[in-house]
Amino acid sequence: MSDELTGHTTDPAGVVADVVARVRAAVAGAVGGGAGAGRPGRVVVLVDGRSGTGKTTLGNALAVALGAQVVHLDDVYPGWDGLRAAADAVVTDVLGAPSGYRSWDWQADRPAAWRTVDPDAPLVIEGCGALSRASAPLATVRVWLEADDAVRWDRAIGRDGATFEREWARWAAQEDAFIRAEQPAALADVVLRT
């Protein structure tokens, strides 16, 4: 059951305020004194969408507004073929015990340090693969972002340049497979066109 936000694409503060209000309502209405990730009171917001939809921008803004830590799946993907592995790590590692994740050294193309996530503090997880059937029940609020392909391309390549341009089709195929398998938009509380 998702609600499509409209009128917010030019008002990022309005989107943040809406999602924060949903988080507060979910926490206030939770039975047993809390919501998210099976821990009383822990707030977990999942922000998902294809490359170039604005996940990082929204995730960072939500983290500030909620006083939350943020996990960027760009730090978790184990290389260019790692979308599914990162989606699984959201459940087993980031939201599991001990809460954290193995980061990826993109320059050396190898695993890097384990990063600990405070298991009691509010948490925003952003990236393609954040919202799956396994992670959805562990979240307080679930957000799916959409944008036209041309807009996404301009944003992503403008941000990441030739490196991502070479990998665009490879990454898009993983996005397609993940979306087919998990149907993240149908799991979202909020669907937003950016």
Side-chain angles (χ1 to χ4, degrees):
M1 286 191 243
S2 63
D3 298 325
E4 182 137 356
L5 290 179
T6 56
H8 290 302
T9 55
T10 58
D11 180 16
V15 172
V16 171
D18 183 79
V19 173
V20 168
R22 288 168 188 266
V23 167
R24 290 189 177 134
V27 170
V31 177
R39 293 181 178 91
R42 186 178 195 192
V43 169
V44 176
V45 179
L46 303 176
V47 179
D48 203 333
R50 290 178 174 270
S51 293
T53 55
K55 299 175 301 296
T56 301
T57 301
L58 180 58
N60 287 339
L62 287 170
V64 169
L66 295 167
Q69 51 198 332
V70 62
V71 171
H72 303 284
L73 289 189
D74 283 351
D75 296 333
V76 181
Y77 302 125
W80 286 109
D81 296 311
L83 192 153
R84 180 78 249 175
D88 294 341
V90 166
V91 175
T92 60
D93 296 340
V94 179
L95 296 175
S99 189
Y101 59 94
R102 174 73 53 204
S103 61
W104 185 257
D105 182 335
W106 284 93
Q107 290 188 347
D109 195 30
R110 66 175 184 223
W114 177 264
R115 295 188 185 172
T116 301
V117 175
D118 183 340
D120 299 313
L123 176 61
V124 174
I125 304 171
E126 70 79 19
C128 189
L131 180 53
S132 67
R133 287 180 289 190
S135 66
L138 305 176
T140 311
V141 175
R142 296 151 290 273
V143 180
W144 175 258
L145 302 180
E146 297 179 343
D148 293 334
D149 289 346
V151 170
R152 293 187 317 98
W153 169 269
D154 288 345
R155 288 175 183 164
I157 303 309
R159 177 190 65 220
D160 296 326
T163 299
F164 193 24
E165 187 172 5
R166 285 190 302 272
E167 302 295 346
W168 180 266
R170 180 181 183 181
W171 189 255
Q174 290 176 81
E175 289 176 335
D176 290 342
F178 178 81
I179 291 166
R180 271 192 312 276
E182 300 292 339
Q183 300 294 311
L187 300 170
D189 301 302
V190 176
V191 174
L192 172 66
R193 286 196 61 77
T194 64

